[in-house]
Amino acid sequence: MIFLFLLIGTVIGLLLPGYLINTLLGNKGDTGASFILSTVLLFQIIFLIGILGAPINLITVGSVLLCLDSVFYLVCRKKKLPLKLELAKVNIKLTDYFLLLPIALLILLIFLRSAFFKMPMGDKIFRWYLLAQRIFETETFSFYPPLSAGDFNLYFYPESFPPIVSFCYFWLYALAGKANTSLTAILVVIQYGLILLYAVKLSQSLTLSKTANNLTLLLLGSSSLLFYSSLLGQESGLTTLSLMALSYYLARSAQSKQLSDIILAAFSASLGTLCREYGLIFVGFGVIILLWRKTSFKHCLIYLGTCAILALPWYIRTTLLTHNPFYSNPISDLFPVNPVLVGILNAYKNTIGLASYFNLPAFKELLFESSMALGIPFFLGLCAAFIYFRRLGAYALIILMFIALWIYSIWIPGGIYHSLRIVAPAIALASVCAAFLLNKLIEKKAVGVFFNNSYFVVILHSFISCQFLCSIHSLETTRRRYFRRRRNKAASGTYSGFKEIFAKHSPGRCCFN
């Protein structure tokens, strides 16, 4: 019964409103747009209910959703728009099933890892998960950002970025009637599936080649960092989805010249904008692509106006409460901040910031670990974007901006690999560019007769790139830990072998490794 209620509530909250809006915009059968539109709309509903001082719970949010769905439905009926779920017909051969099997296994694995064999919580337990839990318990988000003693008793981390992830988690908690973190697997799986979907759509719009589509999927699947970033259940999944959807709709609008694609692109950019304090950069990505494609001034204004309507209200609220739209991030001492948090962040920057790598051994380690994590698809895609700069130049600029953003935030505790999750959207975009290059080589028959299909090349690459190399690096770390503990404990007779090494890992994590 709970499962059925959860399924219906997920459709009503995260799919149906967007499906109806997308129908009104004249589009059909776009599941990704349904999710993006619904998610942004859900954020606006919870935000407005909280601003008005009404309790935020299943009844209030559900009632507003049902009312809006009813209005959208009646408008669709009045305009005699068809409300049928049309599935695109895809011609899939037996070889395609074989090639897509690893992708299906990845989706299954990300579900199992996020629902049953969860990764170490890290800061999720006192940020993303805790905020959703507190909203579920108190029926308000007035304590966020925390400013008073009472606020800090509920939520102690002084930050203020738009909590679209926590709002979605709250909705799942409200449907289930309890704050169960395993429910977040629903959002994680949807995000990862739609990232793959939009990557294929973007590849199709650029190349019109089924070969490039398959290459894109395999390149994406070979990135352990993209998998990890989506699995975390923080903002990385939504930011990656935001960039891929934004790039696709703007690529489609360049061909169709339809206003609806510009609106969908604005919603996609707003999805990323409402994820983190640096989210406004996603609006800038859209502007870069629009200018690169020489889009009309009217469409640029509509794009910026839609983004402003969807994203600015949260930043206005934050400014009114804290006098700092990006509280509590220091911006050249222009705005007030929380001195305790800023002191902690400055300590991180002084000890593990960029300056700590200004020596040859540390710099070599930084290059090795970052290149290992980013993997072949990233560097191949970056090269492709510069080789075909006239077509893919906007993507090259976006990828470089993500690298700059990572360098700025390299002091994040958790290690180089964890800090690189911020680059996950660039990995997805670079994979599409890499598939574009490989497809060009295939068309020109520059890869030789044996590799004319090129699937074998990509499958081989998947084994020797991120997934395999990162596993080797993980095993090497475990091997060093094994022999170090063996030396330390051999004399005392307390050593218990490999069992001790893996005792700290859950069975699911061992399976993942």
Side-chain angles (χ1 to χ4, degrees):
M1 185 64 183
I2 294 178
F3 174 78
L4 181 61
F5 190 69
L6 189 63
L7 178 62
I8 295 173
T10 302
V11 172
I12 292 175
L14 298 177
L15 290 174
L16 185 57
Y19 168 75
L20 294 172
I21 295 173
N22 200 33
T23 302
L24 289 173
L25 291 175
N27 301 313
K28 299 178 182 179
D30 194 340
T31 306
S34 300
F35 175 78
I36 292 171
L37 292 167
S38 299
T39 303
V40 175
L41 183 62
L42 179 65
F43 175 89
Q44 305 299 335
I45 291 172
I46 295 176
F47 175 71
L48 288 175
I49 291 175
I51 290 296
L52 295 174
I56 302 173
N57 53 42
L58 179 63
I59 295 176
T60 55
V61 178
S63 298
V64 175
L65 280 171
L66 288 173
C67 289
L68 287 176
D69 288 344
S70 300
V71 171
F72 294 149
Y73 175 78
L74 291 175
V75 173
C76 288
R77 296 296 294 178
K78 185 176 181 180
K79 291 188 174 183
K80 297 181 180 180
L81 298 174
L83 294 173
K84 295 180 180 180
L85 186 61
E86 298 182 2
L87 299 177
K89 295 182 179 179
V90 182
N91 183 22
I92 300 180
K93 300 178 182 179
L94 183 61
T95 53
D96 295 329
Y97 283 112
F98 171 74
L99 293 167
L100 298 179
L101 179 61
I103 305 301
L105 291 175
L106 279 175
I107 295 175
L108 175 61
L109 183 58
I110 204 170
F111 168 72
L112 293 174
R113 284 304 316 269
S114 56
F116 303 108
F117 306 108
K118 301 186 76 65
M119 297 177 65
M121 290 292 186
D123 59 351
K124 286 187 294 185
I125 196 168
F126 62 84
R127 296 175 76 185
W128 283 266
Y129 289 171
L130 180 62
L131 180 56
Q133 180 181 340
R134 289 291 186 253
I135 296 173
F136 175 69
E137 293 170 349
T138 63
E139 300 185 348
T140 182
F141 60 84
S142 59
F143 57 86
Y144 181 83
L147 299 172
S148 66
D151 295 340
F152 278 98
N153 282 331
L154 292 171
Y155 189 84
F156 67 85
Y157 201 85
E159 60 189 354
S160 66
F161 63 78
I164 192 170
V165 176
S166 296
F167 279 6
C168 291
Y169 288 166
F170 154 76
W171 176 243
L172 297 175
Y173 293 168
L175 292 171
K178 59 181 178 180
N180 185 350
T181 58
S182 293
L183 296 171
T184 61
I186 297 173
L187 197 64
V188 170
V189 173
I190 292 175
Q191 289 171 19
Y192 191 68
L194 291 181
I195 289 169
L196 299 176
L197 175 64
Y198 275 111
V200 171
K201 285 186 171 185
L202 178 59
S203 175
Q204 177 69 18
S205 68
L206 292 174
T207 63
L208 300 177
S209 168
K210 185 179 178 181
T211 300
N213 298 346
N214 290 338
L215 289 168
T216 299
L217 277 178
L218 292 170
L219 288 166
L220 284 170
S222 71
S223 175
S224 63
L225 182 57
L226 178 62
F227 183 92
Y228 169 81
S229 302
S230 303
L231 178 60
L232 274 178
Q234 298 180 357
E235 83 285 354
S236 308
L238 284 183
T239 54
T240 306
L241 174 58
S242 170
L243 180 62
M244 298 313 295
L246 171 66
S247 303
Y248 166 67
Y249 287 122
L250 291 182
R252 195 172 77 175
S253 71
Q255 301 169 357
S256 67
K257 309 297 181 182
Q258 294 293 322
L259 180 61
S260 60
D261 290 331
I262 298 295
I263 294 175
L264 290 174
F267 268 87
S268 301
S270 299
L271 180 67
T273 303
L274 297 172
C275 285
R276 284 303 294 257
E277 62 272 64
Y278 61 82
L280 289 174
I281 197 174
F282 286 89
V283 179
F285 292 155
V287 173
I288 290 174
I289 298 174
L290 286 169
L291 294 178
W292 196 269
R293 295 182 178 278
K294 299 179 181 179
T295 308
S296 67
F297 183 69
K298 175 185 175 182
H299 280 185
C300 290
L301 282 181
I302 292 173
Y303 167 79
L304 290 173
T306 306
C307 290
I309 293 171
L310 296 173
L312 285 185
W314 178 268
Y315 291 95
I316 293 173
R317 171 187 179 268
T318 302
T319 304
L320 293 175
L321 290 175
T322 67
H323 307 290
N324 181 351
F326 308 104
Y327 183 86
S328 170
N329 291 286
I331 306 176
S332 301
D333 298 326
L334 294 176
F335 304 109
V337 294
N338 182 287
V340 177
L341 177 64
V342 171
I344 294 172
L345 298 183
N346 287 336
Y348 286 149
K349 293 176 182 178
N350 292 333
T351 54
I352 57 175
L354 185 61
S356 65
Y357 296 99
F358 288 167
N359 61 81
L360 187 58
F363 186 67
K364 287 171 62 178
E365 180 185 1
L366 175 66
L367 285 181
F368 174 76
E369 293 196 18
S370 59
S371 59
M372 188 83 80
L374 291 171
I376 296 173
F378 178 83
F379 295 106
L380 185 61
L382 184 59
C383 292
F386 279 103
I387 292 172
Y388 296 96
F389 195 73
R390 293 188 64 180
R391 288 202 63 183
L392 308 178
Y395 303 149
L397 295 177
I398 292 172
I399 293 170
L400 292 177
M401 289 175 69
F402 268 108
I403 291 295
L405 186 62
W406 169 64
I407 293 174
Y408 173 78
S409 62
I410 199 172
W411 50 266
I412 293 174
I416 295 173
Y417 188 84
H418 181 71
S419 69
L420 277 166
R421 77 190 192 282
I422 200 171
V423 191
I427 294 176
L429 190 59
S431 297
V432 176
C433 297
F436 182 90
L437 173 61
L438 291 174
N439 186 65
K440 288 289 185 180
L441 293 175
I442 295 166
E443 290 177 348
K444 294 177 181 179
K445 297 184 178 181
V447 291
V449 177
F450 181 67
F451 298 119
N452 208 19
N453 192 317
S454 91
Y455 292 143
F456 177 77
V457 178
V458 179
I459 294 173
L460 182 63
H461 147 264
S462 297
F463 280 103
I464 65 173
S465 65
C466 316
Q467 295 281 9
F468 180 71
L469 291 176
C470 287
S471 298
I472 291 295
H473 183 61
S474 175
L475 289 175
E476 175 65 16
T477 303
T478 302
R479 185 188 66 83
R480 288 196 296 264
R481 191 188 309 138
Y482 166 73
F483 285 110
R484 184 170 62 248
R485 294 195 178 191
R486 182 175 181 178
R487 287 193 301 268
N488 293 340
K489 296 190 176 184
S492 62
T494 59
Y495 177 71
S496 59
F498 275 109
K499 187 178 292 186
E500 181 180 337
I501 301 297
F502 289 103
K504 293 185 178 181
H505 299 288
S506 66
R509 183 167 181 175
C510 289
C511 174
F512 176 63
N513 290 339

